[in-house]
Amino acid sequence: MRARTTIKDVAEAAGVGVATVSRVLSGGSASPQTRERVLAVAAQLDYRPSALGRNLRQRRTGGIGLLVPDVTDSFYGRVADGVLACARAAGEPVIMGVTGDDAESESELIGMLLEQGVERVVAVPSGDHEPWGPAVRAGLTVVFADRRATGRDDIPAVLADERGGVRTAVEYLVGLGHRRIAYLGGHGQGQRAAAFRDTLGALGVTVDEELVVFGRATRDSAYAAASGLFQHRPDLTALVAGGNQLGEAAVLAARELDLRVPRDLSLIMFDDVPWAELCAPPLTVIAPPAQDIGYRAAELVLRSAGRRARGVSLPTELIIRGSCGPRR
Amino acid sequence: MRARTTIKDVAEAAGVGVATVSRVLSGGSASPQTRERVLAVAAQLDYRPSALGRNLRQRRTGGIGLLVPDVTDSFYGRVADGVLACARAAGEPVIMGVTGDDAESESELIGMLLEQGVERVVAVPSGDHEPWGPAVRAGLTVVFADRRATGRDDIPAVLADERGGVRTAVEYLVGLGHRRIAYLGGHGQGQRAAAFRDTLGALGVTVDEELVVFGRATRDSAYAAASGLFQHRPDLTALVAGGNQLGEAAVLAARELDLRVPRDLSLIMFDDVPWAELCAPPLTVIAPPAQDIGYRAAELVLRSAGRRARGVSLPTELIIRGSCGPRR
DNA sequence: ATGAAAGCGCTAACAA
DNA sequence: TTGTTAGCGCTTTCAT
């Protein structure tokens, strides 16, 4: 590989000192003719200042770290897209890592980011608080997206208004006459389950704890949870799925057990995905602004250089399609 | 932000020179007691060597760049996941960028990577050859994934065996009795369309060019193309969609026009996605090994330090579900 | 086995 | 306005 063109090469070729080149390129003062010559030579040599040199010298690295549980999940894909869009607009590179919702992976990844000199990170945390102590102690500016890590309320977060979303959905179902409503939750969605219970309670419907179940992170586990729920409690008439993979599992399990949606079972899913519309019937969903969540989180972590930022809660939208009907 | 712990701090605290610390930490020779002391102090101070310093000194940056058209698309999400997994296993950070299949964005992003000192990149190229001249000239080792840039056959690529996949699919449809088969393509999928034409020709079916249409990158455009096709040529009995967004558009447009699948229209989609199974009827697909493509591409770009690597073609699989029937 | 010192590419302080 | 120089954190000769 050809040796990289350095500032020194440009300086020599232009017959000036390196400082002058540096100044010209970063918009400092220089006589018009010098400026022009330097610029010409730099373009000629296709010179690109090395971020390595600059960052080392300035003891600060631009760039932001991005940690998500799973890029493959449409929701996190959209969150990532938002972060990437904002970073791009700001000219910042983003180093990305996948945690698999595993605290240990998360810790490793944080270590890697630290090593790279990254000092700002947007993360959808696994939920475990463990990895984040060392992170902030090392001076990382972090903003959470979509969830918090337990006990780290000091770290600003950009969240969907899950409580509002779930409440609207549950009210809708109750309005349709449903009483035995189940909740199928996943990793790190305590908020949603809590909102579910609260709303039911507020509406005077007794919460049946047997109807609140949790799958683990995998598709198989979600399917098993859904299927088990349907078989164990054939009396339930409606289900709220806490995320798109859980919704997918619910649709599959319902079909497998010959439950007709919405006749036998009303279904609402948290998260709007393209396939919700392709489903038969199309799925009624609580749509969180995934892309926005990412964008805002990135904005926050970029703006808040040093000082502490306040978190944000973004509204969700209930999109009524065809998967809910009156209680049979 | 607290000043970072440097090698110098460790050296002082351990009462040795910085060179010794460096040696110990990179597995060089040192007396057992020195090694132990240094290690203890390093752990104590929570010392992390700065990748910046190291990379600058060694004039080479680890890390790999990853450029995809759209993280939000399930296919590229899986490709990215593969790259991330491989990089992680190798302990390399990855800097990610989204091109939107736009050559100019691609160029900018390449510039950014160069500036960051990245010297290896995995990319799903927009197709334009323009951005890649400067890239290789600057010394980047690049491996393409899923597609090539036109005219850059010198750059190794990890591809799905699109020809084989499309051929199998078309043969399947022809075997079912179909003759008026359409192809709905998207950006950068010339290969697939070509394979489509070739297979039809080889089977003695005249290729009707009106049945080969292309949507642009957006969902709306894909929908318009599909809808236009169905309305313009109600005589077609089968369709091959060149990607998941196109398949989605086809399903939507067919439903809108009250075409029943598979009775009125047989449908095969390139790319297997979770929702293919949720569809009614479940979609028959040509499944490319998206995750593998990413993983192998990353492997290639990591292994081939300097020397040129050869590309790979990975097999696809025809997964027969319920969206194809005999010609009515 | 260990330390001193040079230097990677850059910017910022200081001199001229 | 410009050039000289120190030094960011690290690795790597070269002495010791």
Side-chain angles (χ1 to χ4, degrees), chain B residues 184 213-215 218-231 249-250 253:
Chain B
L184 176 60
V213 306
F214 289 85
T218 67
R219 282 200 154 77
D220 285 350
S221 158
Y223 178 84
S227 187
L229 182 65
F230 292 152
Q231 289 177 278

Side-chain angles (χ1 to χ4, degrees), chain A residues 133-178:
Chain A
V136 314
R137 231 172 297 127
L140 271 188
T141 300
V142 6
V143 172
F144 287 147
D146 180 55
R147 336 202 268 239
R148 301 180 163 289
T150 47
R152 300 302 314 221
D153 294 331
D154 54 317
I155 296 178
V158 177
L159 308 170
D161 174 19
E162 309 187 316
R163 297 196 73 84
V166 170
R167 177 155 36 88
T168 309
V170 171
E171 284 171 354
Y172 171 63
L173 287 172
V174 169
L176 249 23
H178 295 279

Side-chain angles (χ1 to χ4, degrees), chain A residues 23-304:
Chain A
R23 261 183 241 116
V24 168
L25 263 42
S26 49
S29 60
S31 77
Q33 58 244 44
T34 318
R35 143 165 279 109
E36 197 170 338
R37 194 147 35 92
V38 169
L39 253 21
V41 171
Q44 157 86 40
L45 296 184
D46 193 30
Y47 169 65
R48 264 175 226 291
S50 153
L52 249 52
R54 182 177 33 233
N55 291 339
L56 183 56
R57 170 62 221 232
Q58 301 184 155
R59 305 105 152 299
R60 58 176 189 75
T61 302
I64 103 178
L66 168 59
L67 262 28
V68 295
D70 176 10
V71 241
T72 266
D73 182 310
S74 162
F75 179 80
Y76 304 120
R78 284 172 290 144
V79 172
D81 188 53
V83 173
L84 259 359
C86 180
R88 179 96 194 283
E92 302 280 3
V94 3
I95 298 186
M96 179 154 172
V98 173
T99 65
D101 266 331
D102 174 63
E104 201 174 333
S105 275
E106 203 169 28
S107 285
E108 274 178 35
L109 257 0
I110 289 171
M112 185 266 278
L113 292 176
L114 251 18
E115 208 157 294
Q116 296 302 317
V118 168
E119 47 197 22
R120 292 171 294 196
V121 12
V122 171
V124 178
S126 70
D128 194 324
H129 70 99
E130 256 288 358
W132 301 104
V136 314
R137 231 172 297 127
L140 271 188
T141 300
V142 6
V143 172
F144 287 147
D146 180 55
R147 336 202 268 239
R148 301 180 163 289
T150 47
R152 300 302 314 221
D153 294 331
D154 54 317
I155 296 178
V158 177
L159 308 170
D161 174 19
E162 309 187 316
R163 297 196 73 84
V166 170
R167 177 155 36 88
T168 309
V170 171
E171 284 171 354
Y172 171 63
L173 287 172
V174 169
L176 249 23
H178 295 279
R179 290 299 175 271
R180 296 190 199 294
I181 307 176
Y183 178 82
L184 176 60
H187 184 100
Q189 298 172 351
Q191 273 299 310
R192 294 176 201 169
F196 176 77
R197 290 193 185 93
D198 291 354
T199 306
L200 238 33
L203 292 173
V205 179
T206 313
V207 181
D208 183 341
E209 280 301 333
E210 227 186 31
L211 292 183
V212 180
V213 306
F214 290 84
R216 312 186 113 259
T218 66
R219 281 199 156 78
D220 284 351
S221 157
Y223 178 84
S227 187
L229 183 63
F230 294 152
Q231 290 176 277
H232 215 72
R233 293 295 300 265
D235 59 318
L236 66 82
T237 66
L239 174 83
V240 176
N244 71 65
Q245 303 214 9
L246 299 156
E248 199 185 288
V251 171
L252 240 30
R255 177 178 311 162
E256 207 60 39
L257 296 170
D258 274 325
L259 293 172
R260 308 273 276 280
V261 175
R263 227 198 50 184
D264 303 332
L265 177 73
S266 285
L267 211 54
I268 294 189
M269 176 169 82
F270 196 96
D271 193 15
D272 191 23
V273 293
W275 61 259
E277 227 169 330
L278 298 180
C279 234
L283 246 50
T284 292
V285 301
I286 304 159
Q291 220 257 1
D292 265 21
I293 289 176
Y295 198 98
R296 299 286 297 268
E299 231 171 22
L300 221 56
V301 87
L302 286 175
R303 302 258 188 285
S304 68

